[in-house]
Amino acid sequence: MEPPKTFEANPNAILFLVSRLQERAFRFIAAELKNLGIEGIEPSHGAILRQLSVYGPLSMSRLANLIDRTKPTVTTLVNKLERRGYVKRIADPEDNRVVNVRLTDKAIALADEFEQVSEMMRERVFKNFSPAERHILAEYLGRAIGNFRDK
């Protein structure tokens, strides 16, 4: 018996389905970055790079909050990005005890390529979805995520 080519839309397997979606999206992003010759960036870095491009320099705490990750996770990701030359730590001008993170010129120069890959990924994810279905899916996933905040 040959395995199915698509996954069954089984509500009892929602976490499996979401994790498969993330895994496939991350593989797609990694391959497209490689095709563009961009090295040292992993899909898990995307959220940090995006927030820094939108908001400018941010504290580690603010970054962690924005991307819904723990501070230790953000520190690990920022360390990798800093070693690869994509971000730099700077002192907060208002509070020397706080360290902010900002994009480097190297990261800023790749903004168009990052956006191109993001758009390609969104197109792939939402292929065969109507605009209304896109919104419904996002609303439902957001609601499911929110259910874990009601503790």
Side-chain angles (χ1 to χ4, degrees):
M1 174 189 252
E2 191 172 315
K5 300 226 186 289
T6 60
F7 289 102
E8 180 184 343
N10 178 350
N12 293 325
I14 190 69
L15 293 178
F16 172 77
L17 294 169
V18 169
S19 69
R20 295 293 58 81
L21 176 60
Q22 180 184 30
E23 181 182 305
R24 288 178 181 213
F26 277 14
R27 278 196 312 243
F28 177 85
I29 292 166
E32 292 304 323
L33 290 171
K34 185 177 180 181
N35 288 343
L36 291 170
I38 299 172
E39 297 183 10
I41 296 289
E42 300 165 22
S44 59
H45 298 138
I48 289 176
L49 296 171
R50 176 72 177 157
Q51 297 308 316
L52 293 174
S53 71
V54 169
Y55 295 107
L58 294 168
S59 70
M60 298 290 268
S61 296
R62 181 77 174 125
L63 258 176
N65 181 267
L66 286 168
I67 68 169
D68 196 25
R69 296 282 186 259
T70 65
K71 288 180 194 175
T73 298
V74 170
T75 298
T76 299
L77 293 169
V78 167
N79 287 344
K80 288 180 183 177
L81 287 167
E82 187 173 39
R83 279 193 307 273
R84 295 170 184 167
Y86 292 103
V87 301
K88 183 173 175 66
R89 286 179 168 87
I90 55 173
D92 186 298
E94 297 176 16
D95 186 346
N96 287 332
R97 297 170 297 171
V98 176
V99 175
N100 288 333
V101 180
R102 71 163 177 84
L103 295 175
T104 62
D105 291 342
K106 178 179 179 179
I108 293 168
L110 294 172
D112 288 342
E113 287 84 351
F114 292 152
E115 183 54 36
Q116 175 187 349
V117 171
S118 293
E119 181 58 30
M120 291 168 64
M121 188 269 311
R122 284 188 296 272
E123 287 176 10
R124 178 67 62 98
V125 167
F126 288 122
K127 182 179 177 183
N128 301 319
F129 280 72
S130 72
E133 289 170 327
R134 292 175 184 210
H135 287 286
I136 290 168
L137 177 60
E139 178 186 336
Y140 288 170
L141 289 173
R143 195 182 316 166
I145 292 165
N147 289 340
F148 287 93
R149 293 190 185 117
D150 293 343
K151 207 166 180 206

